[in-house]
Amino acid sequence: MKMNKRNYMVLVVLALIFMTPGLTAYLYYRHPQWLGTTTTNKGELLQPAVLVPAMSSNNKWRLLLWSPGDCGVTCLNQLDKLARIRLALGRRLYGVEQWLILADNTKALPESLRNSFKEQDIHFLRLSQEQRQSLAILKPEARVFIANPDNYLVLSYALTASSQDIFHDLKQLLSTA
């Protein structure tokens, strides 16, 4: 009789040992928040994504620099930083465009600067007051955005964001697209 009870206990323990991983996986599947953070992006994910209707549509991702004021030294340094990020993508740089977005009430860009932008394949766009109001994400401070090929802003960064962080997120997006 004792042997039967002992065999039964061994069987129960073995069943529990083999069922535990499956039950644990099921519980984590049903409650993913128990695992903690699941994001790998370094930028601020925009929920919901914001449509920029003023840009032409094509099949390229975009690195955008929003500069609410004139494009001064800080703006030019940031554009250089974004150009280097794009260049670091290697062969995938052809799938990414670089844009400068300005308010329409800023000074006109000098001809030499526009020619330089054209040589470096940097596009620029001026947004009217109505367009800026429809894009509530465009605050009075400059920011960097990543936009998907459908013209939706999906990630946002402060100007102080690391180039590595922007590069990491852009590379991740390009590899999943």
Side-chain angles (χ1 to χ4, degrees):
M1 186 70 167
K2 280 195 178 216
M3 196 59 138
N4 266 347
K5 193 172 187 179
R6 183 168 178 243
N7 287 345
Y8 179 74
M9 289 303 290
V10 167
L11 186 62
V12 168
V13 169
L14 281 174
L16 285 175
I17 288 174
F18 285 106
M19 287 176 36
T20 302
L23 290 173
T24 304
Y26 179 74
L27 284 173
Y28 281 132
Y29 173 74
R30 299 294 283 166
H31 304 283
Q33 68 274 14
W34 292 354
L35 292 172
T37 181
T38 59
T39 61
T40 60
N41 58 301
K42 310 288 186 191
E44 175 188 340
L45 183 64
L46 302 177
Q47 293 271 12
V50 179
L51 177 64
V52 182
M55 292 186 341
S56 60
S57 183
N58 61 16
N59 285 340
K60 293 188 177 186
W61 287 84
R62 293 176 181 88
L63 275 173
L64 292 96
L65 173 62
W66 160 244
S67 182
D70 295 330
C71 191
V73 174
T74 306
C75 171
L76 293 175
N77 287 340
Q78 194 65 31
L79 282 172
D80 182 57
K81 176 180 163 181
L82 294 178
R84 290 172 190 268
I85 291 169
R86 184 173 172 246
L87 187 61
L89 291 170
R91 65 180 172 87
R92 294 186 180 197
L93 80 97
Y94 299 110
V96 178
E97 289 182 338
Q98 189 175 347
W99 284 74
L100 171 63
I101 301 178
L102 299 168
D104 64 348
N105 58 359
T106 58
K107 289 191 309 187
L109 294 173
E111 188 67 32
S112 61
L113 191 56
R114 275 192 263 149
N115 289 338
S116 174
F117 284 175
K118 190 176 254 185
E119 288 173 9
Q120 297 175 18
D121 198 25
I122 298 174
H123 308 276
F124 69 96
L125 173 69
R126 289 187 175 278
L127 294 178
S128 66
Q129 180 68 26
E130 303 86 46
Q131 290 171 324
R132 287 193 317 261
Q133 286 176 346
S134 69
L135 298 170
I137 192 75
L138 300 179
K139 305 284 187 220
E141 67 271 354
R143 292 196 63 83
V144 174
F145 295 97
I146 294 179
N148 70 6
D150 297 325
N151 298 334
Y152 282 93
L153 302 177
V154 291
L155 288 170
S156 171
Y157 304 87
L159 286 187
T160 57
S162 163
S163 298
Q164 278 296 96
D165 292 347
I166 300 171
F167 172 76
H168 172 269
D169 288 347
L170 189 58
K171 189 174 177 184
Q172 192 83 7
L173 289 168
L174 287 171
S175 67
T176 59

